[in-house]
PDB file of all heavy atoms in Angstrom:
ATOM      1  N   VAL A 217      58.020  94.860  -7.361  1.00  0.00           N
ATOM      2  CA  VAL A 217      58.035  95.869  -6.292  1.00  0.00           C
ATOM      3  C   VAL A 217      58.052  97.287  -6.853  1.00  0.00           C
ATOM      4  O   VAL A 217      58.156  98.245  -6.082  1.00  0.00           O
ATOM      5  CB  VAL A 217      59.247  95.672  -5.356  1.00  0.00           C
ATOM      6  CG1 VAL A 217      59.148  94.325  -4.645  1.00  0.00           C
ATOM      7  CG2 VAL A 217      60.569  95.779  -6.122  1.00  0.00           C
ATOM      8  N   ALA A 218      57.893  97.440  -8.146  1.00  0.00           N
ATOM      9  CA  ALA A 218      58.037  98.746  -8.781  1.00  0.00           C
ATOM     10  C   ALA A 218      57.023  99.780  -8.256  1.00  0.00           C
ATOM     11  O   ALA A 218      57.353 100.958  -8.111  1.00  0.00           O
ATOM     12  CB  ALA A 218      57.898  98.618 -10.306  1.00  0.00           C
ATOM     13  N   GLU A 219      55.820  99.340  -7.970  1.00  0.00           N
ATOM     14  CA  GLU A 219      54.769 100.266  -7.526  1.00  0.00           C
ATOM     15  C   GLU A 219      54.671 100.408  -6.012  1.00  0.00           C
ATOM     16  O   GLU A 219      53.847 101.173  -5.515  1.00  0.00           O
ATOM     17  CB  GLU A 219      53.418  99.820  -8.075  1.00  0.00           C
ATOM     18  CG  GLU A 219      53.350  99.719  -9.617  1.00  0.00           C
ATOM     19  CD  GLU A 219      53.689 101.044 -10.288  1.00  0.00           C
ATOM     20  OE1 GLU A 219      53.235 102.089  -9.752  1.00  0.00           O
ATOM     21  OE2 GLU A 219      54.375 101.032 -11.294  1.00  0.00           O
ATOM     22  N   SER A 220      55.517  99.697  -5.300  1.00  0.00           N
ATOM     23  CA  SER A 220      55.440  99.728  -3.834  1.00  0.00           C
ATOM     24  C   SER A 220      55.927 101.062  -3.315  1.00  0.00           C
ATOM     25  O   SER A 220      56.955 101.586  -3.762  1.00  0.00           O
ATOM     26  CB  SER A 220      56.275  98.600  -3.217  1.00  0.00           C
ATOM     27  OG  SER A 220      55.784  97.331  -3.631  1.00  0.00           O
ATOM     28  N   LYS A 221      55.198 101.591  -2.322  1.00  0.00           N
ATOM     29  CA  LYS A 221      55.571 102.897  -1.761  1.00  0.00           C
ATOM     30  C   LYS A 221      56.410 102.727  -0.499  1.00  0.00           C
ATOM     31  O   LYS A 221      56.985 103.699   0.004  1.00  0.00           O
ATOM     32  CB  LYS A 221      54.306 103.680  -1.423  1.00  0.00           C
ATOM     33  CG  LYS A 221      53.484 104.074  -2.661  1.00  0.00           C
ATOM     34  CD  LYS A 221      52.253 104.861  -2.267  1.00  0.00           C
ATOM     35  CE  LYS A 221      51.525 105.399  -3.492  1.00  0.00           C
ATOM     36  NZ  LYS A 221      51.091 104.330  -4.417  1.00  0.00           N
ATOM     37  N   LYS A 222      56.493 101.524   0.023  1.00  0.00           N
ATOM     38  CA  LYS A 222      57.299 101.256   1.195  1.00  0.00           C
ATOM     39  C   LYS A 222      57.777  99.808   1.150  1.00  0.00           C
ATOM     40  O   LYS A 222      57.243  98.986   0.386  1.00  0.00           O
ATOM     41  CB  LYS A 222      56.508 101.495   2.481  1.00  0.00           C
ATOM     42  CG  LYS A 222      55.274 100.632   2.616  1.00  0.00           C
ATOM     43  CD  LYS A 222      54.389 101.043   3.802  1.00  0.00           C
ATOM     44  CE  LYS A 222      55.112 100.804   5.104  1.00  0.00           C
ATOM     45  NZ  LYS A 222      54.213 101.073   6.261  1.00  0.00           N
ATOM     46  N   ILE A 223      58.766  99.508   1.946  1.00  0.00           N
ATOM     47  CA  ILE A 223      59.288  98.144   1.991  1.00  0.00           C
ATOM     48  C   ILE A 223      58.639  97.429   3.152  1.00  0.00           C
ATOM     49  O   ILE A 223      58.926  97.661   4.327  1.00  0.00           O
ATOM     50  CB  ILE A 223      60.824  98.130   2.155  1.00  0.00           C
ATOM     51  CG1 ILE A 223      61.473  98.791   0.933  1.00  0.00           C
ATOM     52  CG2 ILE A 223      61.343  96.696   2.326  1.00  0.00           C
ATOM     53  CD1 ILE A 223      62.984  98.890   1.022  1.00  0.00           C
ATOM     54  N   GLY A 224      57.699  96.536   2.815  1.00  0.00           N
ATOM     55  CA  GLY A 224      57.035  95.693   3.804  1.00  0.00           C
ATOM     56  C   GLY A 224      57.561  94.284   3.707  1.00  0.00           C
ATOM     57  O   GLY A 224      58.625  94.019   3.129  1.00  0.00           O
ATOM     58  N   GLU A 225      56.830  93.348   4.266  1.00  0.00           N
ATOM     59  CA  GLU A 225      57.298  91.960   4.285  1.00  0.00           C
ATOM     60  C   GLU A 225      57.380  91.359   2.859  1.00  0.00           C
ATOM     61  O   GLU A 225      58.325  90.624   2.564  1.00  0.00           O
ATOM     62  CB  GLU A 225      56.346  91.118   5.148  1.00  0.00           C
ATOM     63  CG  GLU A 225      56.427  91.478   6.623  1.00  0.00           C
ATOM     64  CD  GLU A 225      55.528  90.626   7.476  1.00  0.00           C
ATOM     65  OE1 GLU A 225      54.468  90.195   6.958  1.00  0.00           O
ATOM     66  OE2 GLU A 225      55.869  90.380   8.637  1.00  0.00           O
ATOM     67  N   PHE A 226      56.420  91.685   2.028  1.00  0.00           N
ATOM     68  CA  PHE A 226      56.470  91.157   0.669  1.00  0.00           C
ATOM     69  C   PHE A 226      57.682  91.699  -0.067  1.00  0.00           C
ATOM     70  O   PHE A 226      58.432  90.947  -0.751  1.00  0.00           O
ATOM     71  CB  PHE A 226      55.179  91.515  -0.096  1.00  0.00           C
ATOM     72  CG  PHE A 226      55.221  91.130  -1.549  1.00  0.00           C
ATOM     73  CD1 PHE A 226      54.999  89.813  -1.937  1.00  0.00           C
ATOM     74  CD2 PHE A 226      55.534  92.050  -2.545  1.00  0.00           C
ATOM     75  CE1 PHE A 226      55.023  89.425  -3.278  1.00  0.00           C
ATOM     76  CE2 PHE A 226      55.579  91.682  -3.889  1.00  0.00           C
ATOM     77  CZ  PHE A 226      55.324  90.376  -4.237  1.00  0.00           C
ATOM     78  N   GLU A 227      57.901  93.001   0.019  1.00  0.00           N
ATOM     79  CA  GLU A 227      59.054  93.629  -0.673  1.00  0.00           C
ATOM     80  C   GLU A 227      60.372  93.049  -0.153  1.00  0.00           C
ATOM     81  O   GLU A 227      61.318  92.813  -0.930  1.00  0.00           O
ATOM     82  CB  GLU A 227      59.027  95.137  -0.507  1.00  0.00           C
ATOM     83  CG  GLU A 227      57.959  95.835  -1.315  1.00  0.00           C
ATOM     84  CD  GLU A 227      56.592  95.794  -0.662  1.00  0.00           C
ATOM     85  OE1 GLU A 227      56.489  95.285   0.471  1.00  0.00           O
ATOM     86  OE2 GLU A 227      55.627  96.249  -1.304  1.00  0.00           O
ATOM     87  N   THR A 228      60.454  92.862   1.160  1.00  0.00           N
ATOM     88  CA  THR A 228      61.666  92.270   1.719  1.00  0.00           C
ATOM     89  C   THR A 228      61.935  90.902   1.139  1.00  0.00           C
ATOM     90  O   THR A 228      63.065  90.572   0.780  1.00  0.00           O
ATOM     91  CB  THR A 228      61.528  92.199   3.247  1.00  0.00           C
ATOM     92  OG1 THR A 228      61.411  93.527   3.804  1.00  0.00           O
ATOM     93  CG2 THR A 228      62.718  91.487   3.883  1.00  0.00           C
ATOM     94  N   ASP A 229      60.873  90.090   1.053  1.00  0.00           N
ATOM     95  CA  ASP A 229      61.025  88.745   0.492  1.00  0.00           C
ATOM     96  C   ASP A 229      61.497  88.806  -0.956  1.00  0.00           C
ATOM     97  O   ASP A 229      62.426  88.086  -1.348  1.00  0.00           O
ATOM     98  CB  ASP A 229      59.667  88.050   0.584  1.00  0.00           C
ATOM     99  CG  ASP A 229      59.745  86.574   0.212  1.00  0.00           C
ATOM    100  OD1 ASP A 229      60.554  85.860   0.793  1.00  0.00           O
ATOM    101  OD2 ASP A 229      58.997  86.145  -0.689  1.00  0.00           O
ATOM    102  N   VAL A 230      60.905  89.706  -1.746  1.00  0.00           N
ATOM    103  CA  VAL A 230      61.296  89.848  -3.146  1.00  0.00           C
ATOM    104  C   VAL A 230      62.717  90.332  -3.267  1.00  0.00           C
ATOM    105  O   VAL A 230      63.485  89.848  -4.119  1.00  0.00           O
ATOM    106  CB  VAL A 230      60.318  90.795  -3.887  1.00  0.00           C
ATOM    107  CG1 VAL A 230      60.834  91.117  -5.283  1.00  0.00           C
ATOM    108  CG2 VAL A 230      58.926  90.165  -3.972  1.00  0.00           C
ATOM    109  N   LEU A 231      63.122  91.272  -2.425  1.00  0.00           N
ATOM    110  CA  LEU A 231      64.482  91.798  -2.498  1.00  0.00           C
ATOM    111  C   LEU A 231      65.525  90.726  -2.162  1.00  0.00           C
ATOM    112  O   LEU A 231      66.624  90.728  -2.734  1.00  0.00           O
ATOM    113  CB  LEU A 231      64.628  92.989  -1.560  1.00  0.00           C
ATOM    114  CG  LEU A 231      63.931  94.283  -2.031  1.00  0.00           C
ATOM    115  CD1 LEU A 231      63.976  95.348  -0.924  1.00  0.00           C
ATOM    116  CD2 LEU A 231      64.574  94.826  -3.298  1.00  0.00           C
ATOM    117  N   LYS A 232      65.191  89.830  -1.278  1.00  0.00           N
ATOM    118  CA  LYS A 232      66.122  88.726  -0.966  1.00  0.00           C
ATOM    119  C   LYS A 232      66.329  87.871  -2.235  1.00  0.00           C
ATOM    120  O   LYS A 232      67.459  87.502  -2.555  1.00  0.00           O
ATOM    121  CB  LYS A 232      65.545  87.855   0.145  1.00  0.00           C
ATOM    122  CG  LYS A 232      65.536  88.513   1.512  1.00  0.00           C
ATOM    123  CD  LYS A 232      64.839  87.596   2.514  1.00  0.00           C
ATOM    124  CE  LYS A 232      64.656  88.247   3.848  1.00  0.00           C
ATOM    125  NZ  LYS A 232      63.930  87.380   4.808  1.00  0.00           N
ATOM    126  N   TYR A 233      65.254  87.568  -2.908  1.00  0.00           N
ATOM    127  CA  TYR A 233      65.364  86.801  -4.145  1.00  0.00           C
ATOM    128  C   TYR A 233      66.137  87.590  -5.204  1.00  0.00           C
ATOM    129  O   TYR A 233      66.951  87.033  -5.961  1.00  0.00           O
ATOM    130  CB  TYR A 233      63.995  86.412  -4.693  1.00  0.00           C
ATOM    131  CG  TYR A 233      63.411  85.189  -4.045  1.00  0.00           C
ATOM    132  CD1 TYR A 233      62.324  85.267  -3.166  1.00  0.00           C
ATOM    133  CD2 TYR A 233      63.922  83.909  -4.328  1.00  0.00           C
ATOM    134  CE1 TYR A 233      61.778  84.140  -2.573  1.00  0.00           C
ATOM    135  CE2 TYR A 233      63.395  82.773  -3.743  1.00  0.00           C
ATOM    136  CZ  TYR A 233      62.321  82.899  -2.861  1.00  0.00           C
ATOM    137  OH  TYR A 233      61.821  81.761  -2.286  1.00  0.00           O
ATOM    138  N   ARG A 234      65.853  88.899  -5.299  1.00  0.00           N
ATOM    139  CA  ARG A 234      66.566  89.704  -6.294  1.00  0.00           C
ATOM    140  C   ARG A 234      68.059  89.709  -6.023  1.00  0.00           C
ATOM    141  O   ARG A 234      68.872  89.588  -6.949  1.00  0.00           O
ATOM    142  CB  ARG A 234      66.018  91.157  -6.296  1.00  0.00           C
ATOM    143  CG  ARG A 234      66.571  91.955  -7.472  1.00  0.00           C
ATOM    144  CD  ARG A 234      66.072  93.374  -7.462  1.00  0.00           C
ATOM    145  NE  ARG A 234      66.831  94.222  -6.555  1.00  0.00           N
ATOM    146  CZ  ARG A 234      66.607  95.526  -6.392  1.00  0.00           C
ATOM    147  NH1 ARG A 234      65.602  96.114  -7.026  1.00  0.00           N
ATOM    148  NH2 ARG A 234      67.337  96.238  -5.529  1.00  0.00           N
ATOM    149  N   ALA A 235      68.452  89.820  -4.768  1.00  0.00           N
ATOM    150  CA  ALA A 235      69.877  89.802  -4.432  1.00  0.00           C
ATOM    151  C   ALA A 235      70.525  88.494  -4.842  1.00  0.00           C
ATOM    152  O   ALA A 235      71.642  88.475  -5.368  1.00  0.00           O
ATOM    153  CB  ALA A 235      70.025  90.047  -2.921  1.00  0.00           C
ATOM    154  N   GLU A 236      69.815  87.404  -4.610  1.00  0.00           N
ATOM    155  CA  GLU A 236      70.368  86.094  -5.031  1.00  0.00           C
ATOM    156  C   GLU A 236      70.523  86.006  -6.538  1.00  0.00           C
ATOM    157  O   GLU A 236      71.565  85.558  -7.063  1.00  0.00           O
ATOM    158  CB  GLU A 236      69.482  84.958  -4.558  1.00  0.00           C
ATOM    159  CG  GLU A 236      70.041  83.575  -4.962  1.00  0.00           C
ATOM    160  CD  GLU A 236      69.098  82.429  -4.713  1.00  0.00           C
ATOM    161  OE1 GLU A 236      67.977  82.671  -4.277  1.00  0.00           O
ATOM    162  OE2 GLU A 236      69.506  81.286  -4.970  1.00  0.00           O
ATOM    163  N   ALA A 237      69.520  86.473  -7.272  1.00  0.00           N
ATOM    164  CA  ALA A 237      69.577  86.435  -8.729  1.00  0.00           C
ATOM    165  C   ALA A 237      70.711  87.325  -9.221  1.00  0.00           C
ATOM    166  O   ALA A 237      71.436  86.949 -10.173  1.00  0.00           O
ATOM    167  CB  ALA A 237      68.255  86.897  -9.337  1.00  0.00           C
ATOM    168  N   GLU A 238      70.882  88.484  -8.636  1.00  0.00           N
ATOM    169  CA  GLU A 238      71.992  89.383  -9.044  1.00  0.00           C
ATOM    170  C   GLU A 238      73.339  88.740  -8.785  1.00  0.00           C
ATOM    171  O   GLU A 238      74.260  88.859  -9.580  1.00  0.00           O
ATOM    172  CB  GLU A 238      71.847  90.702  -8.306  1.00  0.00           C
ATOM    173  CG  GLU A 238      70.660  91.536  -8.761  1.00  0.00           C
ATOM    174  CD  GLU A 238      70.336  92.678  -7.856  1.00  0.00           C
ATOM    175  OE1 GLU A 238      70.694  92.631  -6.661  1.00  0.00           O
ATOM    176  OE2 GLU A 238      69.723  93.667  -8.308  1.00  0.00           O
ATOM    177  N   PHE A 239      73.432  88.039  -7.639  1.00  0.00           N
ATOM    178  CA  PHE A 239      74.680  87.360  -7.309  1.00  0.00           C
ATOM    179  C   PHE A 239      74.976  86.273  -8.330  1.00  0.00           C
ATOM    180  O   PHE A 239      76.103  86.140  -8.823  1.00  0.00           O
ATOM    181  CB  PHE A 239      74.610  86.758  -5.909  1.00  0.00           C
ATOM    182  CG  PHE A 239      75.901  86.110  -5.479  1.00  0.00           C
ATOM    183  CD1 PHE A 239      76.860  86.836  -4.812  1.00  0.00           C
ATOM    184  CD2 PHE A 239      76.141  84.764  -5.753  1.00  0.00           C
ATOM    185  CE1 PHE A 239      78.047  86.232  -4.407  1.00  0.00           C
ATOM    186  CE2 PHE A 239      77.317  84.153  -5.349  1.00  0.00           C
ATOM    187  CZ  PHE A 239      78.297  84.908  -4.680  1.00  0.00           C
ATOM    188  N   LEU A 240      73.972  85.493  -8.660  1.00  0.00           N
ATOM    189  CA  LEU A 240      74.173  84.411  -9.626  1.00  0.00           C
ATOM    190  C   LEU A 240      74.429  84.958 -11.032  1.00  0.00           C
ATOM    191  O   LEU A 240      75.085  84.302 -11.840  1.00  0.00           O
ATOM    192  CB  LEU A 240      72.925  83.506  -9.653  1.00  0.00           C
ATOM    193  CG  LEU A 240      72.688  82.740  -8.353  1.00  0.00           C
ATOM    194  CD1 LEU A 240      71.307  82.032  -8.394  1.00  0.00           C
ATOM    195  CD2 LEU A 240      73.800  81.717  -8.105  1.00  0.00           C
ATOM    196  N   LEU A 241      73.980  86.157 -11.302  1.00  0.00           N
ATOM    197  CA  LEU A 241      74.272  86.837 -12.547  1.00  0.00           C
ATOM    198  C   LEU A 241      75.691  87.395 -12.543  1.00  0.00           C
ATOM    199  O   LEU A 241      76.185  87.902 -13.550  1.00  0.00           O
ATOM    200  CB  LEU A 241      73.275  87.959 -12.760  1.00  0.00           C
ATOM    201  CG  LEU A 241      73.176  88.660 -14.119  1.00  0.00           C
ATOM    202  CD1 LEU A 241      72.868  87.652 -15.246  1.00  0.00           C
ATOM    203  CD2 LEU A 241      72.125  89.761 -14.093  1.00  0.00           C
ATOM    204  N   LYS A 242      76.354  87.319 -11.396  1.00  0.00           N
ATOM    205  CA  LYS A 242      77.695  87.853 -11.155  1.00  0.00           C
ATOM    206  C   LYS A 242      77.707  89.383 -11.216  1.00  0.00           C
ATOM    207  O   LYS A 242      78.748  89.993 -11.491  1.00  0.00           O
ATOM    208  CB  LYS A 242      78.732  87.252 -12.117  1.00  0.00           C
ATOM    209  CG  LYS A 242      78.884  85.741 -11.979  1.00  0.00           C
ATOM    210  CD  LYS A 242      80.062  85.224 -12.751  1.00  0.00           C
ATOM    211  CE  LYS A 242      80.137  83.683 -12.651  1.00  0.00           C
ATOM    212  NZ  LYS A 242      80.277  83.195 -11.284  1.00  0.00           N
ATOM    213  N   ASP A 243      76.567  89.995 -10.952  1.00  0.00           N
ATOM    214  CA  ASP A 243      76.510  91.438 -10.811  1.00  0.00           C
ATOM    215  C   ASP A 243      76.643  91.729  -9.320  1.00  0.00           C
ATOM    216  O   ASP A 243      75.668  92.041  -8.629  1.00  0.00           O
ATOM    217  CB  ASP A 243      75.176  91.985 -11.341  1.00  0.00           C
ATOM    218  CG  ASP A 243      75.168  93.491 -11.472  1.00  0.00           C
ATOM    219  OD1 ASP A 243      76.053  94.139 -10.879  1.00  0.00           O
ATOM    220  OD2 ASP A 243      74.271  94.030 -12.143  1.00  0.00           O
ATOM    221  N   PHE A 244      77.875  91.594  -8.838  1.00  0.00           N
ATOM    222  CA  PHE A 244      78.089  91.660  -7.411  1.00  0.00           C
ATOM    223  C   PHE A 244      77.819  93.033  -6.805  1.00  0.00           C
ATOM    224  O   PHE A 244      77.376  93.144  -5.661  1.00  0.00           O
ATOM    225  CB  PHE A 244      79.529  91.194  -7.103  1.00  0.00           C
ATOM    226  CG  PHE A 244      79.840  89.817  -7.596  1.00  0.00           C
ATOM    227  CD1 PHE A 244      80.869  89.604  -8.493  1.00  0.00           C
ATOM    228  CD2 PHE A 244      79.080  88.736  -7.180  1.00  0.00           C
ATOM    229  CE1 PHE A 244      81.150  88.342  -8.960  1.00  0.00           C
ATOM    230  CE2 PHE A 244      79.354  87.460  -7.649  1.00  0.00           C
ATOM    231  CZ  PHE A 244      80.390  87.249  -8.532  1.00  0.00           C
ATOM    232  N   ALA A 245      78.076  94.067  -7.580  1.00  0.00           N
ATOM    233  CA  ALA A 245      77.782  95.440  -7.100  1.00  0.00           C
ATOM    234  C   ALA A 245      76.283  95.595  -6.894  1.00  0.00           C
ATOM    235  O   ALA A 245      75.856  96.183  -5.895  1.00  0.00           O
ATOM    236  CB  ALA A 245      78.288  96.457  -8.085  1.00  0.00           C
TER     237      ALA A 245
END
């Protein structure tokens, strides 16, 4: 999503996955 200029459906989907990965990494912040 680095080059995205706005948050659309694809970016939303990727951000959901990123949040899960960050949680599993125990980077809760």
Side-chain angles (χ1 to χ4, degrees):
V217 297
E219 301 301 321
S220 299
K221 295 180 173 59
K222 60 188 295 185
I223 297 178
E225 291 181 330
F226 174 80
E227 287 81 5
T228 296
D229 188 54
V230 171
L231 288 172
K232 291 175 186 177
Y233 277 109
R234 190 181 81 179
E236 181 189 3
E238 289 167 337
F239 184 90
L240 294 171
L241 192 59
K242 299 190 183 300
D243 191 345
F244 303 121

